[in-house]
Amino acid sequence: MSELQDRLRADLTTAIKARDEVTSSTLRMVMTAITNAEVAGKEHRELSEDDVVGVLSGEAKRRREAATAFADAGRDELAAKERAEAEVIARYLPAQLSEEEISGIVTAAIEQTGAAGEGMRAMGKVMGVVQPQVKGRADGGAVAAEVRRQLGA
């Protein structure tokens, strides 16, 4: 079991003892998502630290999208609940990259791949270089938008 999973489990116990409903319910959902990822496929596997961060990133993204959808529908109490859950999950994710840092990584990737004059045809090539560097530390949509901007689309 990864260190992050151990920390999640310990924090879940602490939250239950402290009767912190938001934290305990969120960590239960996260632990379930991790277990589901472990048993997905043909055989059970132990998740690496990166795999756990990937699951956490996915859960955080779901919460952000749900909060936006609820807010757009005028369901502010549900949007606030989703935002609170996203904040709990964010405690366990690596520090997020700033826009400047993302821009720098994308610029370096474009130079590395020689994609400067190719336009949008090079999007996949550039994203293939950028994604491993930003995994779990930046929203994929924001990264793709920056790649598009720098490729001139």
Side-chain angles (χ1 to χ4, degrees):
M1 186 177 298
S2 72
E3 283 183 38
L4 186 53
Q5 281 178 284
D6 288 338
R7 188 171 138 217
L8 287 164
R9 191 156 301 182
D11 289 354
L12 174 60
T13 303
T14 303
I16 291 170
K17 289 179 180 175
R19 299 191 190 285
D20 182 347
E21 291 296 321
V22 173
T23 303
S24 61
S25 67
T26 302
L27 292 179
R28 279 190 179 112
M29 284 188 277
V30 166
M31 294 301 293
T32 301
I34 291 170
T35 302
N36 289 342
E38 286 177 334
V39 299
K42 294 186 189 275
E43 59 185 55
H44 183 277
R45 66 187 176 98
E46 193 75 23
L47 294 182
S48 69
E49 199 79 18
D50 285 342
D51 294 333
V52 174
V53 168
V55 170
L56 287 171
S57 296
E59 291 296 311
K61 181 179 180 187
R62 277 189 203 87
R63 299 306 181 287
R64 286 192 305 270
E65 290 172 351
T68 302
F70 283 133
D72 290 347
R75 304 289 308 268
D76 295 330
E77 69 284 348
L78 292 174
K81 179 180 180 278
E82 294 292 335
R83 279 191 217 93
E85 290 176 359
E87 288 174 18
V88 170
I89 296 169
R91 294 181 210 159
Y92 301 95
L93 289 171
Q96 296 296 296
L97 296 171
S98 69
E99 288 182 25
E100 295 81 30
E101 291 170 317
I102 293 170
S103 179
I105 291 170
V106 170
T107 301
I110 289 173
E111 288 174 11
Q112 177 185 340
T113 58
E118 295 181 37
M120 285 308 293
R121 289 181 308 217
M123 177 90 177
K125 192 183 340 178
V126 174
M127 287 296 287
V129 172
V130 171
Q131 281 299 79
Q133 297 176 44
V134 300
K135 186 176 183 185
R137 300 186 311 148
D139 178 54
V143 173
E146 180 61 23
V147 170
R148 269 191 229 96
R149 188 186 71 73
Q150 287 194 26
L151 287 175

